[in-house]
Amino acid sequence: MTLEEYILSHSDEEGELPAALNRDAHVNLLRPRMLSGHLQGRILKMFCRMLRPRRVLEIGTYTGYATLCMAEALEEGAMIHTLEINDEMEDFILKYVNRSPHKDKIQLHIGDAMKLIPLLDETFDMVFIDADKRLYPEYYDLVFPKLRRGGLILADNTLWDGKVLENIPASDKQTWGILSFNEKIKQDERIEKVILPLRDGLTMIWKK
Ligand SMILES: C[S@@+](CC[C@H](N)C(=O)[O-])C[C@H]1O[C@@H](n2cnc3c(N)ncnc32)[C@H](O)[C@@H]1O
């Protein structure tokens, strides 16, 4: 048994619907590794359980895996807005959202987060940044004024497969995006922050 198998077998189960989505994605989609998966899905759900956010924003839906996991823990009347630029994912996402008992808590927006975020008339308690790595600093600037004081931003992939420690060519725009985001977060005194070395790195950012 690997350590990962041990962790998963001593944590909550993945859940029937996320597991079905996960299998479907691995059989039918390109790049299924982009979805959060069992461990991170349960962690995101746990954050929602603990923080009891009324308004959640997810930037980068992909299959809706993390969306479903977070929605499981949202209370009555709470809502998650999730943004996805690739309209070809809409049918896949809705197939699973519509099977969820929590579907009324999920609002899918198809389009570019850079255009959609300014249009959202909400104050968020929790934000999950998980879209184009090149644009992390821009997503952060757009979303920060919409996050309430005491609210939490989670940013995924902030260790980017360890590339943050490597010599990166100028052409590797994704790694440069992550590096510049991490530097921006380090310098920002309006927040408290910590990088969890979970999976590909998950940064927790708390607004003072
Ligand atoms: C890593 S996947 C999201 C995984 C999902 N959050 C999860 O945890 O299961 C990133 C997604 O962001 C989408 N994306 C990239 N740039 C975007 C943008 N500017 N606006 C909205 N979505 C974007 C991609 O199409 C892709 O589906």
Side-chain angles (χ1 to χ4, degrees):
M1 181 183 268
T2 64
L3 203 49
E4 191 185 349
E5 286 164 349
Y6 182 84
I7 291 168
L8 292 180
S9 66
H10 291 78
S11 300
D12 280 341
E13 288 182 2
E14 187 173 17
E16 212 174 294
L17 193 58
L21 184 160
N22 204 342
R23 274 194 302 276
D24 191 353
H26 276 81
V27 173
N28 294 308
L29 297 181
L30 296 172
R31 311 185 64 208
R33 280 188 55 209
M34 286 206 305
L35 64 79
S36 274
H38 183 167
L39 180 62
Q40 189 159 295
R42 290 308 97 188
I43 288 170
L44 291 169
K45 178 184 173 190
M46 186 67 89
F47 272 115
C48 290
R49 221 14 128 219
M50 293 186 298
L51 299 174
R52 306 172 66 195
R54 304 297 298 167
R55 290 293 176 268
V56 180
L57 174 64
E58 178 183 33
I59 308 175
T61 318
Y62 185 40
T63 59
Y65 185 95
T67 326
L68 289 178
C69 295
M70 290 188 276
E72 279 179 46
L74 293 187
E75 296 179 354
E76 207 55 44
M79 177 68 73
I80 174 165
H81 291 273
T82 183
L83 317 181
E84 174 53 52
I85 199 168
N86 182 358
D87 59 8
E88 290 180 3
M89 288 309 301
E90 186 170 8
D91 289 346
F92 188 100
I93 297 164
L94 291 179
K95 178 165 77 171
Y96 287 93
V97 166
N98 287 330
R99 282 169 60 182
S100 167
H102 307 285
K103 66 175 181 225
D104 293 344
K105 302 175 198 162
I106 298 171
Q107 177 81 56
L108 171 66
H109 305 260
I110 297 291
D112 183 351
M114 297 297 295
K115 296 192 181 126
L116 291 173
I117 295 170
L119 303 177
L120 292 172
D121 187 19
E122 297 277 18
T123 301
F124 293 102
D125 306 295
M126 184 174 142
V127 177
F128 181 38
I129 300 180
D130 192 19
D132 187 341
K133 309 310 157 196
R134 291 168 290 201
L135 297 176
Y136 268 33
E138 283 84 353
Y139 298 143
Y140 180 72
D141 287 338
L142 273 182
V143 97
F144 196 81
K146 291 178 181 280
L147 181 72
R148 74 161 165 84
R149 290 181 69 181
L152 182 76
I153 297 177
L154 295 168
D156 200 13
N157 308 107
T158 48
L159 297 178
W160 204 226
D161 211 14
K163 286 190 184 170
V164 288
L165 293 181
E166 293 174 11
N167 287 326
I168 299 301
S171 56
D172 186 350
K173 297 284 191 291
Q174 299 199 79
T175 304
W176 282 114
I178 292 290
L179 286 169
S180 105
F181 175 75
N182 288 346
E183 211 48 43
K184 186 180 185 76
I185 296 306
K186 178 180 172 176
Q187 305 297 342
D188 195 338
E189 292 184 349
R190 303 168 299 171
I191 55 172
E192 293 177 15
K193 58 274 190 178
V194 61
I195 298 180
L196 295 179
L198 170 80
R199 209 166 159 255
D200 202 16
L202 185 69
T203 301
M204 299 171 62
I205 298 163
W206 184 81
K207 185 169 176 177
K208 292 180 192 170

